[in-house]
Structure formats: structure tokens, C-alpha cells
Amino acid sequence: MEEKTFLEHLEDLRVVFLKAFIVIIVLSGVSFAFAPALLKLIMWPFNAAVARYGLEAPTTALLRTLRPSGAFMMSMKMALGAGFFFSLPLVLWFGGRFILPGLTPAERRYLLPALGAGTALFVLGAAFCYFFVLPAALGFFWKYGQNLGVANEWTIENYVPLVIQMLLAFGAVF
């Protein structure tokens, strides 16, 4: 196998980043078409917290927006978050293919299982957050605000990024 120069490696890395960017953008675009379903998914932890902890949720829509473009921008952010989430296996594959030539045969044998385990652990961490941590945290934040005498009127601009950040953070930590 022919050895590459530093600039050739940089070019290969640029191609990996470009492929990852394209995959994220395409999957984000596809996810944008499913924005109402994504919002229902993102609202599940709060609805679970209402049911589990007996929160006194408002009878009207929980999330409000204070900006004319608020709902549209949150749809874009939800789609981008979903694009990151769903593109993870491909992005890991592109990265693995980039480092594969630099590995010894013994190390190569472990690359595919490591990529699979990384993806599985990311999904497991996000699922743990989604089903257990978020409902508990949201219930805590809601009750804490009520105990202080604060009216809980959350906006979509604050709720959606919190959920996405926590899902990505727990996925990355796992």
C-alpha cells in the first residue's frame, strides 16, 4: 500500500467531513417533513411527567412561542437534532473508513464491533434519557417552580433545545 502525504490525508479528512455534512443535511431535510411527529415525540417526556408525577399542566397547549417565527425555527432545530441522531451510524462509518488504513490487522478486527457498540450505546443513552431522566427532570423542574410560586409557562424556544441537548448529551456520554 502506498503511503500518503500529509496533504493527501487532509484531503481525505475533508471528504469525510463533507460526506458527514451532506448526510446530516439530507437527514435533517427528511426529518423536517416529519416535524409534527417529532414534536409529539419530544413532548412525550413532559406528558409522561404529567401522568407520573401528577403535575397540574395547563389545559391549553403547553408550549407557547413569543416570536412570529418561533414554531418554524423550532421545527428546523428539531429536524437538525433528528438529522444528527439518525446520521450517527453513517458518520461513524465514514470516520472508521478514514482511520482503517492506519490500523494494524489486529486493530482492524475490532473496528466494526467498536462502531456498532458506539452506535448501540449512543441509542441506549438517548433512550435512557428519554424514558427515565427527562420525565423525572421535567417533573422536578415543574414542581420546583410551583413550590417557589412561579407559574410554569414554558416556551417552545426553551423546551425543545433542552430535550435535544439532553438526548444528545446522554447519548454521547453512554
Side-chain angles (χ1 to χ4, degrees):
M1 180 180 262
E2 182 181 313
E3 219 174 280
K4 292 184 175 186
T5 66
F6 178 71
L7 290 178
E8 290 172 329
H9 282 297
L10 281 180
E11 176 61 21
D12 289 347
L13 185 60
R14 185 187 71 80
V15 169
V16 167
F17 282 132
L18 184 62
K19 286 179 183 177
F21 178 75
I22 289 169
V23 167
I24 291 169
I25 294 302
V26 167
L27 289 177
S28 295
V30 170
S31 298
F32 184 75
F34 298 98
L38 285 173
L39 185 58
K40 282 184 181 179
L41 280 173
I42 288 177
M43 287 304 300
W44 184 88
F46 179 78
N47 294 331
V50 168
R52 191 178 301 163
Y53 302 108
L55 306 182
E56 296 173 20
T59 55
T60 60
L62 166 71
L63 299 179
R64 295 167 180 19
T65 184
L66 303 176
R67 300 179 184 149
S69 63
F72 176 77
M73 293 306 295
M74 282 306 105
S75 294
M76 295 287 287
K77 286 183 181 183
M78 286 186 303
L80 188 59
F84 272 110
F85 185 80
F86 293 124
S87 68
L88 178 70
L90 279 172
V91 171
L92 287 176
W93 176 254
F94 296 149
R97 298 268 307 170
F98 173 73
I99 66 169
L100 190 64
L103 300 177
T104 66
E107 293 168 335
R108 288 180 189 174
R109 188 174 57 228
Y110 296 113
L111 182 62
L112 191 58
L115 290 176
T119 301
L121 286 171
F122 181 87
V123 171
L124 184 65
F128 175 72
C129 179
Y130 185 78
F131 290 110
F132 299 107
V133 176
L134 272 171
L138 294 172
F140 168 78
F141 292 143
W142 190 272
K143 284 189 172 187
Y144 188 82
Q146 284 182 330
N147 289 339
L148 289 178
V150 175
N152 291 305
E153 293 187 14
W154 296 346
T155 65
I156 193 170
E157 291 92 355
N158 295 324
Y159 178 80
V160 170
L162 171 74
V163 172
I164 292 171
Q165 289 169 0
M166 286 188 69
L167 290 173
L168 291 175
F170 271 78
V173 167
F174 268 59

